[in-house]
Amino acid sequence: MKHYDWDNILQYMDEDMLAEALAAGKRAKAGTGRRVYRTLLIAAIIASFMVTAAFAAGLLDFRALLLEDTLEINGQEFSKISLTQPQTVPEETESAGAQENALKDTDELEEKLAASKAAWAEWEEYMDERTDREVPDSMKFVLGKGGVLQSTEKEDGTVELLLKTREGEERGTVSMEDWRQYESWVERQGLPYGGYDLSYRVYSEEDACRLEEIAAKYGLNLRKAMQSALSSETGGISGAGFLTNQQLAEKTAEMGCAGNIFYETPVGFDKVYWFGEGTFCVSYYVDLPSSGERVTCYGYNSMYSTLSSGYEVVAPERNLDSFSEYSHTAPDGTELNILFNGRKAYIYVYLENSFFTVSVRGADSMTQEDVDYIADTLNYSLIGRG
């Protein structure tokens, strides 16, 4: 008997961040009706994005981060918070003092985000059609369900299937030929092609050509294969791929920034990773001034000019109402938006060329002064300006 754990195949966890880019379920639903609908969506998406309700200058609370769909974990519904692409923009953003990178033309930003959303819808359409071609009709009942798939090969040449999900169990019987075709499709999901970021799910030359075509059509860059480095000090390991904390901090100057974005080297790093066109992540540790408790700060820089879905890194939140919002001015003059509930915080800012977010978590309790201290560890004026 074989078991396919669909909660782990095609998706990965980063602490309690959910990286949804590899999730099969959201994009693998059959039916020509859906394809027609999505074609209409692509045709209308730019116009619909440009006429969404305008927001006054200032804070956008979770609207800047909140994805439309939700996530169910152990029977509880969670909101999905995108750390990788803004979901809406303010009507205008005022420049404050030394904030040289303040966003001044939100119309231009809206156009860039609309292009990215339209391009992703077109790429998602292609991925849906690809799945329709490659997955036998008899196996499509397992797509988009999550859970665990068990298979038992029978002497008569058929395969009995048992799909266990949070909602219950489903059974089916398929031919050996369909089962082998499905197995081949599953195996290809873990074999990226052409040096592209895994979240694009490029598996063939045909895929690569189509993705490049869509990106060129909308004037967008693509993330290439991820590069990463870990802390030799945090893990006590040295060798290839491990750097000191100071070296990791200085590495940010090579990731599309105008210099080292840290005023002081953090007490530790989980990791850093980057893609070469300006998108990068810094996951580091900060000791809270109020208690000395160590928290994890997950910072992500998303370039407006790069094709993104918003699902690359997602944080689940169950009670958005528990967060308060406020504005904070960083040492370089950058006006930050902060969401805070006493245990976790989100910091985000619209920069000239990119959207930067920091998720702060892991504390039993935090004060607003703690969050402001974390916010002040970075020089935002350098981000995305390499």
Side-chain angles (χ1 to χ4, degrees), residues 102-138:
L103 178 65
K104 300 179 180 66
D105 188 349
T106 56
D107 287 342
E108 181 180 353
L109 173 55
E110 284 187 344
E111 291 173 0
K112 290 178 180 179
L113 295 182
S116 186
K117 288 178 182 290
W120 189 263
E122 195 164 323
W123 174 241
E124 198 171 52
E125 169 78 4
Y126 169 82
M127 288 192 289
D128 286 344
E129 293 175 346
R130 181 184 66 188
T131 300
D132 283 349
R133 294 193 308 269
E134 296 179 350
V135 177
D137 289 341
S138 62

Side-chain angles (χ1 to χ4, degrees), residues 91-320:
E91 184 177 277
E92 58 181 278
T93 301
E94 298 176 355
S95 178
Q99 189 175 350
E100 297 178 358
N101 56 3
L103 178 65
K104 300 179 180 66
D105 188 349
T106 56
D107 287 342
E108 181 180 353
L109 173 55
E110 284 187 344
E111 291 173 0
K112 290 178 180 179
L113 295 182
S116 186
K117 288 178 182 290
W120 189 263
E122 195 164 323
W123 174 241
E124 198 171 52
E125 169 78 4
Y126 169 82
M127 288 192 289
D128 286 344
E129 293 175 346
R130 181 184 66 188
T131 300
D132 283 349
R133 294 193 308 269
E134 296 179 350
V135 177
D137 289 341
S138 62
M139 291 299 306
K140 288 176 180 174
F141 79 96
V142 307
L143 300 178
K145 301 291 182 62
V148 176
L149 178 63
Q150 300 177 356
S151 65
T152 304
E153 298 183 4
K154 310 297 287 186
E155 292 183 358
D156 63 0
T158 62
V159 179
E160 288 187 358
L161 303 175
L162 174 60
L163 178 64
K164 295 181 178 180
T165 68
R166 295 187 181 96
E167 289 72 36
E169 297 182 353
E170 291 185 60
R171 296 179 182 273
T173 301
V174 300
S175 69
M176 186 66 70
E177 180 182 0
D178 283 358
W179 174 245
R180 296 294 184 231
Q181 184 178 340
Y182 173 75
E183 282 191 310
S184 177
W185 176 81
V186 170
E187 290 171 0
R188 284 198 299 276
Q189 310 312 295
L191 299 173
Y193 178 93
Y196 296 92
D197 176 17
L198 288 172
S199 63
Y200 291 131
R201 295 174 60 207
V202 174
Y203 304 131
S204 67
E205 180 64 22
E206 179 186 1
D207 292 350
C209 290
R210 184 64 181 132
L211 181 63
E212 292 283 356
E213 178 185 317
I214 292 172
K217 174 181 176 181
Y218 292 95
L220 297 170
N221 298 321
L222 295 170
R223 294 185 301 274
K224 298 299 183 179
M226 182 182 76
Q227 302 178 72
S228 63
L230 303 173
S231 170
S232 58
E233 297 177 55
T234 300
I237 304 173
S238 60
F242 289 88
L243 302 174
T244 66
N245 292 333
Q246 181 176 345
Q247 288 172 327
L248 288 172
E250 293 172 350
K251 195 74 174 175
T252 59
E254 304 173 22
M255 299 179 190
C257 298
N260 181 351
I261 66 174
F262 291 96
Y263 288 112
E264 296 182 3
T265 300
V267 295
F269 278 88
D270 171 31
K271 60 179 164 296
V272 301
Y273 62 85
W274 64 99
F275 297 94
E277 45 47 86
T279 299
F280 68 86
C281 165
V282 286
S283 181
Y284 58 101
Y285 304 118
V286 172
D287 292 337
L288 300 180
S290 67
S291 64
E293 186 176 10
R294 183 160 294 184
V295 296
T296 299
C297 303
Y298 192 102
Y300 191 97
N301 188 58
S302 177
M303 303 299 290
Y304 302 134
S305 57
T306 295
L307 176 58
S308 300
S309 67
Y311 285 85
E312 289 82 3
V313 181
V314 175
E317 287 295 346
R318 192 157 62 92
N319 185 7
L320 301 187

